[in-house]
Amino acid sequence: MKLNFFISIIGKTIDEIKECKKMGNIAATKTEKSKYLALLIMNILFLLVYLIPIIYSFVMIVGAFIYGPIVLLGLIMCCPFILFVLLIKVKSYPEMKKNFLRVHNKS
């Protein structure tokens, strides 16, 4: 797994946010606007949940140079959490989005 993959997820999420905002602005009904607003909020929250542990990991790595290698034990919980969030975004989110839009388009 390349480091570029972790960064490209951020770019894809920002593109998704822009797309949801654009689609929400051109939506005709209030229901359509609300579904795109929900997707927009979900993507913004994903960025927060994804970026905070990544920033925390970098702080721990820098802290290991200052305070010693014991600080790196914090990565034991941080790295699996980042991978779990990535798994949800890459594998589950596209299917969830498709189902969410399909269900709302029927009503």
Side-chain angles (χ1 to χ4, degrees):
M1 190 179 287
K2 295 181 180 181
L3 184 62
N4 189 29
F5 176 73
F6 292 100
I7 297 169
S8 68
I9 289 292
I10 296 169
K12 289 178 185 177
T13 304
I14 291 172
D15 291 340
E16 182 83 22
I17 289 170
K18 290 176 184 176
E19 178 188 344
C20 289
K21 186 175 181 179
K22 185 180 83 173
M23 294 300 288
N25 288 339
I26 63 172
T29 65
K30 196 172 192 177
T31 304
E32 288 180 25
K33 287 183 182 187
S34 67
K35 73 178 174 184
Y36 287 112
L37 178 64
L39 287 173
L40 177 90
I41 291 171
M42 184 174 149
N43 280 297
I44 291 171
L45 290 176
F46 168 77
L47 272 180
L48 288 175
V49 168
Y50 181 67
L51 287 176
I52 290 173
I54 286 181
I55 293 169
Y56 182 66
S57 297
F58 287 128
V59 169
M60 282 191 288
I61 291 169
V62 171
F65 290 112
I66 298 169
Y67 298 109
I70 196 75
V71 176
L72 294 176
L73 290 175
L75 293 175
I76 292 173
M77 291 300 292
C78 200
C79 288
F81 179 74
I82 292 170
L83 293 175
F84 177 69
V85 170
L86 276 177
L87 177 75
I88 290 173
K89 178 68 175 179
V90 172
K91 298 288 184 183
S92 301
Y93 176 75
E95 187 69 26
M96 185 275 316
K97 179 184 174 187
K98 185 177 79 172
N99 290 335
F100 180 72
L101 293 174
R102 187 182 71 221
V103 168
H104 279 16
N105 284 336
K106 287 182 178 180
S107 32

